[in-house]
Amino acid sequence: MTKSLFTHLECALCGKEHSKEKVNTVCENAECRGILSAQYDFSRNTLTKEELKNRPATLWRYKEFLPVSDERNIVSLGEGFTPILQLNNLGEHTRGKQVLLKDESNEPTGSFKSRGLSVAVSKSRELGVRELVIPTAGNAGGALAAYSARAGLKAHVFMPELTPRAFKAEARLFGANVTEVDGNISDCGKLANALAAENGWFDVSTLKEPYRLEGKKTMGYEIAEQLNWTLPDVILYPTGGGTGIIGIWKAFGELEQLGWIGGKRPRMVAVQSDSCNGIHLAFQNNETTSTFKDNGFTVANGLRVPKPYADRVILQVLRESGGNSVSVSDAGILAALKELASREGLLPAPEGAALWHAYKALSQSGWIKDGETALLLNTGSGYKYLDNIEE
Ligand SMILES: *Cc1c(COP(=O)(O)O)cnc(C)c1O
Ligand SMILES: [Zn+2]
């Protein structure tokens, strides 16, 4: 049986080591409270790229580089190994460039949140957790509820009232205890946090728990593997809490340690909604942290994150990669969504559609150059958002 190479957790800000044997949240150092990042002993790896080809088409094909020790604890609904499509019909915008879209719309529960929650719920089960709680803009709640149902664990979900109906319905159908909150995801987070402390539930809020990040990093592994161990020049990512951008960047570092890719990295682009664009503003103003920013409703519910917990780390990744940021209005998002739908037969989540608007802006301004390859990470399906999309 293959063994996970997971050794310990390390704080992304101060480097403090944390044991993998206990239930961890964030850095124990009270002055730090940074996010914890799983570390592996890649020097012990024996898996080859060739052997990988025969593995199942789920993210668990990379199980040596994931944190679950005993495979019997894996909770899977077939997540991961999603296709990378080429945009073919929008030549007036893509001419001279290659534009790829990694499509997470067919993931279990319709979004890439299934990656993070498959890994986090598996690891929670391994550590003996029984009840989990999550604040969510929608997709994470559905994914936690589904994986908890599959694992026989109890899920508590806190979601803004202003979330399309499908998100509330699916979480309830999966047997979760759903609370609708008059507010945004930060308000949901405060409630979840208080109730977790009171009832002994495990809080799996974005990046306040180390293993959702491990699930999301598999997008980086897949991009490299599916593009035959080369990387695109630019990756555009719809940034809410930022798990994907941090995870994909972590994956590339790990793949280099494995000797599977070289040192060349894509320029990472954080795309946000004008409703909540704190990362965009901080990046453009050369700041190292973001400030709380909430201008209210956006059709891209997953982007309504007023202050990402890991803002420092997100901004580091953008700078280290020579990346950029773009903020998009709801009108821009909806127009982009309709263009992708009517011209390419794709119905992305509004968060993913925002990337198409951002791509066009960066291509027109010359920041994405002729001869370059850009990859859009469409994080979910538009079908759950019809309340927001249809006129
Ligand atoms: C949650 C979510 C996002 C934001 O992801 P983060 O990793 O929190 O930045 C983007 N798109 C969709 C569809 C989401 O559900
Ligand atoms: Zn720390």
Side-chain angles (χ1 to χ4, degrees):
M1 196 173 78
T2 39
K3 280 297 276 175
S4 164
L5 301 176
F6 183 31
T7 55
H8 64 281
L9 293 158
E10 193 178 282
C11 175
L13 295 183
C14 77
K16 184 178 164 58
E17 268 196 33
H18 292 67
S19 159
K20 66 175 180 169
E21 309 304 333
K22 59 187 199 50
V23 179
N24 282 282
T25 55
V26 294
C27 178
E28 286 165 354
N29 176 352
E31 268 96 74
C32 177
R33 295 278 176 226
I35 66 167
L36 298 181
S37 165
Q39 304 297 309
Y40 300 80
D41 183 359
F42 292 105
S43 70
R44 284 184 21 240
N45 177 54
T46 55
L47 180 70
T48 64
K49 289 176 182 173
E50 270 312 302
E51 285 168 325
L52 198 52
K53 288 184 183 157
N54 306 317
R55 292 278 176 96
T58 78
L59 60 82
W60 295 100
R61 67 198 281 108
Y62 309 111
K63 61 191 174 186
E64 283 85 347
F65 321 126
L66 289 170
V68 176
S69 307
D70 183 339
E71 284 181 33
R72 286 170 301 187
N73 289 318
I74 291 176
V75 187
S76 177
L77 292 164
E79 54 292 320
F81 224 63
T82 54
I84 294 179
L85 310 173
Q86 182 156 350
L87 298 188
N88 288 325
N89 301 337
L90 294 153
E92 70 271 34
H93 302 294
T94 61
R95 197 156 293 123
K97 291 143 187 129
Q98 189 179 29
V99 185
L100 306 174
L101 181 141
K102 186 162 175 64
D103 193 11
E104 298 287 303
S105 65
N106 293 318
E107 289 278 17
T109 71
S111 89
F112 77 145
K113 291 293 194 303
S114 55
R115 292 179 185 265
L117 286 150
S118 173
V119 175
V121 170
S122 299
K123 192 65 192 174
S124 293
R125 178 154 90 171
E126 186 156 272
L127 291 168
V129 169
R130 301 296 313 160
E131 292 195 44
L132 301 112
V133 59
I134 199 164
T136 177
N139 276 320
L144 174 69
Y147 286 94
S148 297
R150 184 96 167 157
L153 305 178
K154 181 74 197 166
H156 302 271
V157 172
F158 290 80
M159 193 182 294
E161 255 166 29
L162 285 179
T163 306
R165 199 177 145 237
F167 294 97
K168 300 173 187 169
E170 67 169 352
R172 290 202 177 98
L173 287 165
F174 292 131
N177 181 6
V178 179
T179 308
E180 292 180 34
V181 177
D182 177 12
N184 59 38
I185 195 170
S186 301
D187 304 308
C188 294
K190 280 176 209 144
L191 270 171
N193 188 271
L195 285 160
E198 204 176 302
N199 298 302
W201 303 337
F202 182 45
D203 183 354
V204 287
S205 296
T206 300
L207 292 165
K208 293 187 187 166
E209 170 289 325
Y211 301 114
R212 285 172 67 186
L213 180 63
E214 293 306 286
K216 294 257 185 103
K217 86 177 179 191
T218 57
M219 293 187 289
Y221 278 75
E222 289 175 23
I223 290 168
E225 186 181 356
Q226 293 171 321
L227 300 180
N228 202 20
W229 309 105
T230 62
L231 299 178
D233 298 294
V234 176
I235 294 180
L236 294 99
Y237 179 80
T239 306
T243 344
I245 211 163
I246 298 171
I248 290 171
W249 194 249
K250 180 174 192 275
F252 295 155
E254 295 181 353
L255 289 169
E256 190 176 0
Q257 288 185 62
L258 283 165
W260 289 1
I261 62 168
K264 187 170 176 289
R265 295 285 181 276
R267 312 199 297 281
M268 304 295 290
V269 180
V271 178
Q272 296 204 293
S273 156
D274 287 351
S275 156
C276 277
N277 55 8
I279 294 292
H280 169 67
L281 296 175
F283 181 76
Q284 299 298 335
N285 296 326
N286 245 327
E287 281 149 15
T288 54
T289 59
S290 66
T291 39
F292 189 97
K293 178 96 185 161
D294 186 12
N295 297 333
F297 180 78
T298 168
V299 292
N301 301 78
L303 301 186
R304 193 172 172 196
V305 180
K307 178 159 167 64
Y309 189 72
D311 54 355
R312 236 172 234 285
V313 186
I314 299 170
L315 288 160
Q316 272 169 18
V317 172
L318 296 182
R319 297 222 163 88
E320 226 181 290
S321 74
N324 209 337
S325 69
V326 179
S327 179
V328 187
S329 69
D330 271 13
I333 291 174
L334 289 172
L337 195 153
K338 285 172 187 168
E339 200 167 28
L340 286 173
S342 61
R343 302 278 300 280
E344 295 280 5
L346 297 167
L347 190 54
E351 294 85 342
L355 305 178
W356 175 237
H357 182 98
Y359 161 80
K360 288 191 284 185
L362 293 174
S363 172
Q364 264 158 32
S365 74
W367 192 83
I368 297 175
K369 294 182 260 317
D370 277 357
E372 290 196 314
T373 298
L375 183 140
L376 279 48
L377 217 145
N378 173 40
T379 42
S381 163
Y383 288 94
K384 285 157 83 176
Y385 296 77
L386 292 178
D387 299 350
N388 290 353
I389 298 167
E390 268 197 326
E391 275 138 31

